[in-house]
Amino acid sequence: METLSNILAQQPMMALFLTVALGYLLGEVNIKGFSLGVGAVLFVALFMGWLAPKSAPAPMVGTLGLALFLYAVGVQYGKQFFVGLTSTSGRRANLIALSGVLLSGIVSVLFMKLSSLPLGHALGLFAGAGTSTPTLQAAIVQLGNDDPAVGYSVAYPLGVAGPILFLYICFMVLKPKIQAPTGGGIEMLEIAPEDSALKGKTIGDLLAGLPAGIDIAALRRAHHNLPASRSMALAANDVLLVTGPSREALEQAAKQLGEVHHGRVTGDRRDLDYVRIFASRAAVVGRSLGDLKLPEGRPHALVQVRRGDADIMPRPDLVLEFGDRIGMLAHRDDFAALRKFFGDSIKGTAEFSYISIGFGMALGFLLGAINFPLPGVGKLALGLSGVLIVALVLGKLRRTGGLNWTIPLSANLVLRNLGLTLFLAQVGMASGPKFAATVSQTGFLMLGLGAIVVVALVLPILLLGLGVFKMPYDEVAGIVAGACGNPAILAYANKLAPTDKPDIGYAMIFPGMTIIKILFVDIVPAVLGG
């Protein structure tokens, strides 16, 4: 064992990537539906840190990993975060999360009063239960000693495993029906208007009375297919190519319009043919469809935009992202010009601007380093939360002049998962020795106190979200992940509920709750005279 420890200490990079490999291997172990996923990296890292304390990577590795993760999440979900702050459901979600965060803080302080627990240990338990490194850093700075690191090292693994276990139990008990994205395409139907009263009405007039999500992409007139526009008026014998999100919606539209036809529009491709093009050109990404000046030539129409596994109707206000696949009806002779206009490079959809990510990360670290005065307490620094806040703002802006802040979805996922993995591995390897020493010295007392703090954080959110407000499971899972803060919890929530709601909930909740946690550890010592 000593030989192995020496080898790992001499090869810290080997130890790091061995930890990553073993962590993901352990995370794939499934016991009756329960598996740790990427969270297992932390527990393998704790063991590796105990086995070979000198093999731990430099703290900058973990800082870089967490910063990459926060930046990728913020850029991807900036728009949803700010919508959440202004919406009723978003404010409700933040208040639910706040109840758990404040209760866990109060419980930590009560432990200090009732069991003679040092203030530093109590604040460390609070920071560890919420898996908040910025909170730990703020507590150490505020108290001027490393006591919070002891409580943090004990509670941190519980802060990861506890919420995951709660989410698993709720999932197994409630058995929620979660509709995962199917990736099904937009449906099309050819309809010939029968009612003579419809003749002379414009396409815009027709769409106003049709179900939500229905659009008219093209029409056939005098044996020719034409792209439809809202100002175009119907004529006798027109056949409409109607698109919609589902067959049911199209059938409802057919009942309102007229007789269903097959093959009259789609069977003739002389005037219009279908082409799918990748959006990879920097000049079009980050701009709304309504602002694009498409190449001049024969008339053409945008039918759909496919983003990831979902199809999106091409609304004028829809902002293009790298990797979007644009479905168009156009003349074949115009295909080359359209491909050149949008880029149509699969390679380009996996690339991103190092200029934008460099400036964005730099601004985030700068914001995190600024000390903001807080009356009655002193000064407050946001730390790594500054990276997330800047990323959320840039994610909402999407584009500033010629600088595009978005990151292709595929590249975003790679950055996010790489950052998450490095962060968990570094923190676990660095905390391993202290975790083992603390547990051996205090027995299971500190572990028990840490578990109670975690319960105080998670249980109110689940009771309020699922029990009182009857919210969907995937929304509540996102609130839990955002309030608890650890990316591994979000990854597990995504595994149980493969929708975008956990990610949106995390992005909407995490920044505010991180700031609340930092404020708590700054204010409590000032109030208690610690």
Side-chain angles (χ1 to χ4, degrees):
M1 190 69 72
E2 184 177 351
T3 302
L4 177 60
S5 177
N6 290 334
I7 293 175
L8 293 173
Q10 293 171 8
Q11 298 291 334
M13 295 306 293
M14 181 192 76
L16 173 65
F17 285 100
L18 181 61
T19 298
V20 170
L22 294 176
Y24 272 90
L25 186 64
L26 178 62
E28 293 181 357
V29 176
N30 191 304
I31 302 175
K32 294 184 177 181
F34 176 76
S35 60
L36 289 174
V38 69
V41 173
L42 174 67
F43 300 104
V44 172
L46 284 170
F47 173 77
M48 190 71 73
W50 168 80
L51 178 65
K54 295 182 180 180
S55 67
M60 184 175 288
V61 173
T63 301
L64 174 62
L66 183 56
L68 286 174
F69 175 84
L70 294 177
Y71 187 83
V73 168
V75 166
Q76 185 71 23
Y77 297 106
K79 181 179 178 181
Q80 292 90 332
F81 168 71
F82 287 102
V83 169
L85 290 182
T86 57
S87 67
T88 302
S89 60
R91 289 193 294 268
R92 180 181 65 186
N94 274 281
L95 288 174
I96 291 174
L98 181 62
S99 68
V101 171
L102 290 182
L103 182 60
S104 65
I106 293 171
V107 169
S108 301
V109 174
L110 286 177
F111 285 154
M112 182 193 70
K113 296 291 186 180
L114 298 177
S115 61
S116 300
L117 191 70
L119 177 59
H121 289 184
L123 295 181
L125 287 177
F126 171 68
T131 63
S132 177
T133 303
T135 304
L136 171 64
Q137 293 171 337
I140 292 174
V141 171
Q142 185 71 17
L143 296 178
N145 58 57
D146 291 330
D147 284 354
V150 176
Y152 181 86
S153 65
V154 173
Y156 187 94
L158 300 173
V160 177
I164 288 176
L165 184 60
F166 269 107
L167 290 176
Y168 170 75
I169 293 173
C170 287
F171 186 85
M172 296 303 293
V173 171
L174 299 176
K175 293 181 170 54
K177 295 181 179 179
I178 298 172
Q179 296 293 331
T182 60
I186 290 177
E187 300 284 345
M188 294 187 294
L189 192 65
E190 296 181 21
I191 304 173
E194 293 177 333
D195 190 348
S196 59
L198 296 177
K199 302 299 184 293
K201 286 194 173 184
T202 65
I203 298 294
D205 294 333
L206 292 183
L207 292 174
L210 294 177
I214 293 294
D215 197 9
I216 299 175
L219 60 81
R220 184 170 181 80
R221 176 178 295 171
H223 307 293
H224 289 279
N225 295 333
L226 305 171
S229 66
R230 287 183 170 266
S231 61
M232 187 178 291
L234 287 184
N237 302 319
D238 282 351
V239 178
L240 307 176
L241 181 63
V242 183
T243 63
S246 66
R247 180 60 56 174
E248 293 75 15
L250 289 176
E251 290 174 353
Q252 184 178 346
K255 291 179 181 179
Q256 297 178 231
L257 292 178
E259 181 182 353
V260 175
H261 285 255
H262 297 286
R264 292 181 63 180
V265 179
T266 57
D268 183 359
R269 303 201 174 191
R270 293 173 300 168
D271 303 303
L272 294 177
D273 202 352
Y274 182 82
V275 61
R276 179 174 282 182
I277 306 171
F278 282 96
S280 61
R281 184 165 161 255
V284 300
V285 173
R287 298 189 183 278
S288 62
L289 293 178
D291 292 336
L292 296 180
K293 295 182 179 179
L294 296 173
E296 296 182 358
R298 299 172 183 84
H300 38 248
L302 275 71
V303 179
Q304 68 178 127
V305 175
R306 188 166 179 84
R307 180 171 297 165
D309 295 329
D311 282 294
I312 308 171
M313 297 299 291
R315 306 181 311 274
D317 62 341
L318 179 66
V319 176
L320 282 182
E321 296 184 3
F322 277 111
D324 285 349
R325 286 159 289 174
I326 303 159
M328 299 191 67
L329 293 175
H331 195 280
R332 292 174 186 170
D333 292 344
D334 295 330
F335 282 6
L338 291 171
R339 288 191 175 105
K340 182 179 180 181
F341 178 79
F342 287 103
D344 199 32
S345 169
I346 297 177
K347 179 182 178 182
T349 63
E351 296 177 346
F352 56 87
S353 170
Y354 284 96
I355 299 174
S356 66
I357 197 173
F359 278 126
M361 293 278 281
L363 288 172
F365 281 111
L366 178 62
L367 177 62
I370 297 174
N371 289 310
F372 296 95
L374 197 65
V377 174
K379 294 183 178 180
L380 168 68
L382 295 176
L384 283 177
S385 296
V387 174
L388 179 59
I389 292 171
V390 168
L392 289 166
V393 173
L394 298 180
K396 183 179 185 297
L397 293 175
R398 314 301 288 172
R399 190 183 189 94
T400 305
L403 198 58
N404 179 45
W405 302 109
T406 62
I407 300 175
L409 181 60
S410 55
N412 187 293
L413 291 173
V414 171
L415 277 180
R416 198 186 308 179
N417 292 331
L418 175 63
L420 167 61
T421 302
L422 291 176
F423 169 66
L424 293 176
Q426 190 279 325
V427 168
M429 294 173 73
S431 302
K434 188 173 291 185
F435 173 75
T438 302
V439 172
S440 63
Q441 292 171 6
T442 63
F444 290 97
L445 174 63
M446 287 283 285
L447 281 173
L449 296 179
I452 295 173
V453 177
V454 172
V455 172
L457 172 59
V458 179
L459 193 58
I461 298 173
L462 294 174
L463 292 177
L464 289 173
L466 298 174
V468 177
F469 294 106
K470 308 296 182 183
M471 298 169 65
Y473 176 86
D474 49 354
E475 287 187 22
V476 177
I479 297 174
V480 169
C484 295
N486 194 276
I489 302 169
L490 174 61
Y492 189 76
N494 279 323
K495 182 178 180 181
L496 292 179
T499 69
D500 62 349
K501 290 183 179 179
D503 283 322
I504 294 172
Y506 184 90
M508 185 171 59
I509 299 296
F510 179 74
M513 292 307 107
T514 299
I515 294 173
I516 292 295
K517 292 172 187 177
I518 293 173
L519 286 172
F520 186 87
V521 298
D522 281 337
I523 293 172
V524 166
V527 173
L528 299 180

